[in-house]
Amino acid sequence: MAATFTAVRSAESTRQDAEPDPEVPARARMRRFSASYKQRILSEYEGLGKAGKGALLRREGLYSSLISEWRKQRDQGSLAGRTRKPGRPESDPRDRELARLGKELARVGRELDKARQVIEIQSKLSALLLRVGRHWPHRTAQHVPSPPSAASLCAGGPHVHERTSKQEKR
C-alpha cells in the first residue's frame, strides 16, 4: 500500500507543477448567456422532474435563481430575440445635423455674450474717461497754451512780438 500511496503522491506533485488548480480560477468572469441558450435551457428545465432539474443545473453550472430570472425575461418578451444589433443604435443624419447646429448656435451665442460684455465695458470706460477729463484741469483744452503761429516763430518767437507791442504803447 505504501507503494501505491507514493505513486499517487508523485502524480499529484507533477500535476500541480504542470498547471494551476482548475478549482480556483485565475480571475472571476461574468458569464453571458445568449437568448437561444436561455430558451433551450428553460425548455429543457421545465420538461424535467425534480431530480433531473438539479442534474441539469449541476451539469451546466447554473443556479436556480438564474432560471427564475430567465423566466421573468421570457415572460416580459425580452428573450424573444433581438430585432436590432447590440450596441449603440445608428443615428439619423438629420439628428446629427441638428446636434451640430445646436452646438454651433451655443458657440455663437457665447461669442455674442462676450461681444456685448466688451461693448458694455468700452462704453463705461469711455464715460469714465470723459468724467476724469473734466476734473483734471491740466488735461483740458482751456489750460493748454495754444501753439505759436508761424509768423511769430519767423520773427524771433513770441517774446519778440510782446516787446514790440510794449514799445508801441510808449
Side-chain angles (χ1 to χ4, degrees), residues 109-163:
R110 288 190 304 270
E111 287 179 6
L112 179 63
D113 289 341
K114 285 180 188 177
R116 285 180 178 157
Q117 288 175 349
V118 166
I119 291 170
E120 182 182 347
I121 290 170
Q122 286 176 340
S123 66
K124 288 180 180 179
L125 179 64
S126 175
L128 179 67
L129 289 175
L130 283 175
R131 197 176 315 140
V132 167
R134 288 183 194 139
H135 296 292
W136 286 1
H138 62 280
R139 297 277 183 173
T140 61
Q142 299 170 7
H143 299 286
V144 175
S146 60
S149 65
S152 67
L153 289 175
C154 291
H159 60 278
V160 174
H161 180 52
E162 289 176 10
R163 279 190 214 151

Side-chain angles (χ1 to χ4, degrees), residues 33-43 70 73 79:
F33 304 102
S34 66
S36 61
Y37 176 78
K38 291 176 184 180
Q39 288 176 343
R40 182 177 61 81
I41 295 296
L42 279 175
S43 63
W70 293 353
Q73 290 174 359
L79 287 184

Side-chain angles (χ1 to χ4, degrees), residues 12-88:
E12 286 179 359
S13 65
T14 57
R15 188 179 73 196
Q16 288 176 353
D17 295 339
E19 60 187 53
D21 185 14
E23 294 295 323
V24 180
R27 181 175 166 219
R29 290 180 50 181
M30 291 280 294
R31 295 187 298 173
R32 295 177 186 237
F33 304 102
S34 66
S36 61
Y37 176 78
K38 291 176 184 180
Q39 288 176 343
R40 182 177 61 81
I41 295 296
L42 279 175
S43 63
E44 187 178 343
Y45 183 82
E46 290 170 349
L48 296 173
K50 190 168 189 170
K53 289 178 181 180
L56 173 69
L57 293 175
R58 283 189 300 276
R59 182 184 77 218
E60 296 294 327
L62 302 172
Y63 295 100
S64 60
S65 61
L66 277 176
I67 300 295
S68 301
E69 287 298 316
W70 293 353
R71 280 184 180 153
K72 288 178 189 175
Q73 290 174 359
R74 180 189 59 193
D75 294 343
Q76 291 173 354
S78 61
L79 287 184
R82 295 188 166 186
T83 57
R84 66 173 186 89
K85 296 184 290 185
R88 178 181 281 176

